[in-house]
Amino acid sequence: TDVEPILVNDRLLVPFRAICEALGMEVSWNEELEQVIASKGDKTIVMTIGNNEIDVDSEVITCDVAPMLHNDRTMVPLRFLAENIGADVQWDGATNTVTITQ
């Protein structure tokens, strides 16, 4: 991506659009509400900047780190995002690599 992932409270935050599009999701931004929306099939996730209550298929789930703006990108917790869209996340500490599979 054009913005490096960042660590916040031991959580890896990644650019929302880049990850969602790589997973085949459609992405939109609601500037007025500062919300990012990703959808694919019957799955929809809505995240609001600075709010750790995330809407996943019309169910509110609390995340321990809220989405934030960083270098003009919406950064979101990778594991929370991936797992809530049905992907699997694996961490390889030896190579500092994250693998996401659907």
Side-chain angles (χ1 to χ4, degrees):
T1 67
D2 62 342
V3 175
E4 292 290 319
I6 57 174
L7 276 176
V8 175
N9 296 335
D10 293 326
R11 299 290 179 256
L12 184 66
L13 274 64
V14 295
F16 182 82
R17 179 176 296 278
I19 297 302
C20 289
E21 288 179 347
L23 295 171
M25 301 186 83
E26 299 217 9
V27 177
S28 62
W29 165 252
N30 180 326
E31 188 166 348
E32 182 180 333
L33 298 176
E34 291 194 316
Q35 289 180 331
V36 289
I37 302 107
S39 59
K40 182 178 181 180
D42 63 349
K43 182 64 77 177
T44 301
I45 237 177
V46 180
M47 297 181 160
T48 304
I49 301 301
N51 187 345
N52 65 341
E53 293 183 343
I54 312 297
D55 183 313
V56 179
D57 297 331
S58 299
E59 177 184 344
V60 176
I61 301 173
T62 302
C63 181
D64 55 353
V65 176
M68 64 176 50
L69 293 176
H70 175 74
N71 290 339
D72 294 323
R73 297 292 179 265
T74 300
M75 306 296 283
V76 299
L78 174 62
R79 183 172 298 277
F80 182 90
L81 173 64
E83 289 179 348
N84 280 285
I85 60 173
D88 181 55
V89 179
Q90 297 297 318
W91 168 253
D92 183 342
T95 61
N96 288 333
T97 304
V98 175
T99 304
I100 305 170
T101 53
Q102 290 198 112

